[in-house]
C-alpha cells in the first residue's frame, strides 16, 4: 500500500515552454501532497505544500507564478513549470501524506530544459 | 525553522561491519523524525520513523534508530551491513500534520563485498 506515482518520469523541453508533472496517490487518498526539488548529489528541498481544494503554500524563495500547483482531487496534484529555463532543470519529486503524518514519495521526474 | 545535520557525507564499510549514521536536528518544538533510503535509480523509501513513545525504533531491513531528546539526535544503526545496503540515506524531520519534511544533506553509503 501507499504507492505514489509520477508522470512523466523524464521530460525534455525547450526554453520558454511549460511542462506539467502529475503526482498521483494510487491506493489512498491524500489531503496533503508535497513537491520537492533535488539537485544532483544533493538533498531534497521542499518547494510547496499542496492541499486538496485550496491554494498551495510555497516555501520562501519559490516563485509561485513559475511553479503552479493544482491539487484537484484527493489523489492528484500537478506541478506546472511555466516558461521553463535551463536553471529549472532538476529532479522534481512529490510525496503524499498517508497513514498519519508519514510521507510516501513518488519516483520523481527529471526535467531537462534546453 | 527546522534544520537537519548529517555528519557523514560518504561512508565506506565492508560487509558485516556495524553501521551508525549520525543525525542531529534543530527545532524548538515536538518533531516527527524519519530515515529514508534511496537505492541507486530508485525512489525514496521509508526506513523507519519516530513520532512518540519508545525512543528506540526498529525499521525495515534490520535498521534501527534511537531518539535522544537531550542531544537532539536520531542516529541510524545496523549491526551488520550487507552489500545491498549501498544507497543514499536521508534523515528528515517535520513538525507533524501537514508540514513538509526538512531533509539532511544525505549520507552516501558504500558497502564493499
Amino acid at each position: 500500500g501507499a504507492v505514489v506515482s509520477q508522470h512523466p518520469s523524464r521530460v525534455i523541453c525547450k526554453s520558454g515552454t511549460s511542462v506539467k508533472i502529475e503526482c498521483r496517490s494510487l491506493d489512498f487518498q491524500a489531503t496533503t501532497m508535497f513537491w520537492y526539488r533535488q539537485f544532483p548529489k544533493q538533498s531534497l528541498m521542499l518547494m510547496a505544500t499542496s492541499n486538496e481544494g485550496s491554494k498551495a503554500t510555497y516555501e520562501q524563495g519559490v516563485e509561485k507564478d513559475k511553479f503552479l500547483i493544482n491539487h484537484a482531487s484527493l489523489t492528484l496534484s500537478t506541478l506546472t513549470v511555466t516558461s521553463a529555463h535551463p536553471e529549472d532543470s532538476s529532479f522534481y519529486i512529490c510525496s503524499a501524506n498517508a497513514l498519519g503524518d508519514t510521507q510516501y514519495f513518488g519516483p520523481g521526474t527529471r526535467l531537462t530544459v534546453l | 525553522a527546522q534544520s537537519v545535520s548529517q555528519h557523514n557525507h560518504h561512508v565506506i564499510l565492508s560487509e558485516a561491519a556495524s553501521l551508525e549514521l549520525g543525525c542531529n536536528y534543530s527545532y524548538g518544538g515536538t518533531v516527527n523524525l524519519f530515515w529514508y533510503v534511496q537505492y541507486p535509480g530508485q525512489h525514496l523509501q521509508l526506513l523507519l520513523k519516530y513520532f512518540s513513545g519508545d525512543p528506540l525504533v526498529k525499521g525495515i531491513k534490520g535498521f534501527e534508530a534511537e531518539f535522544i531528546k537531550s542531544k537532539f539526535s536520531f542516529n541510524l544503526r545496523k549491526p551488520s551491513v550487507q552489500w545491498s545496503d549501498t544507497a543514499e540515506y536521508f534523515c528528515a524531520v517535520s513538525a507533524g500534520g501537514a508540514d513538509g519534511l526538512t531533509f539532511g544533506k544525505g549520507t552516501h553509503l558504500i558497502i564493499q563485498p
Side-chain angles (χ1 to χ4, degrees), chain B residues 35-47:
Chain B
W35 275 97
Y36 283 88
V37 61
Q38 189 172 31
Y39 297 104
Q42 296 189 30
H43 63 282
L44 280 167
Q45 298 175 38
L46 180 67
L47 268 181

Side-chain angles (χ1 to χ4, degrees), chain B residues 10-103:
Chain B
H10 296 277
V11 174
I12 301 174
L13 294 172
S14 298
E15 275 195 314
S18 64
L19 169 72
E20 181 161 3
L21 301 182
C23 173
N24 286 89
Y25 68 93
S26 172
Y27 183 64
T30 302
V31 292
N32 293 338
L33 298 156
F34 305 84
W35 275 97
Y36 283 88
V37 61
Q38 189 172 31
Y39 297 104
Q42 296 189 30
H43 63 282
L44 280 167
Q45 298 175 38
L46 180 67
L47 268 181
L48 47 79
K49 60 187 178 184
Y50 173 80
F51 290 168
S52 64
D54 188 344
L56 185 60
V57 179
K58 294 192 183 299
I60 61 171
K61 304 186 180 187
F63 286 92
E64 64 179 31
E66 185 176 12
F67 170 54
I68 302 179
K69 188 175 182 179
S70 60
K71 295 184 178 181
F72 298 90
S73 70
F74 190 56
N75 293 354
L76 181 71
R77 300 193 293 248
K78 185 171 183 178
S80 177
V81 294
Q82 300 171 313
W83 176 80
S84 57
D85 292 325
T86 294
E88 193 83 20
Y89 291 80
F90 294 96
C91 180
V93 303
S94 82
D99 276 16
L101 294 173
T102 299
F103 282 86

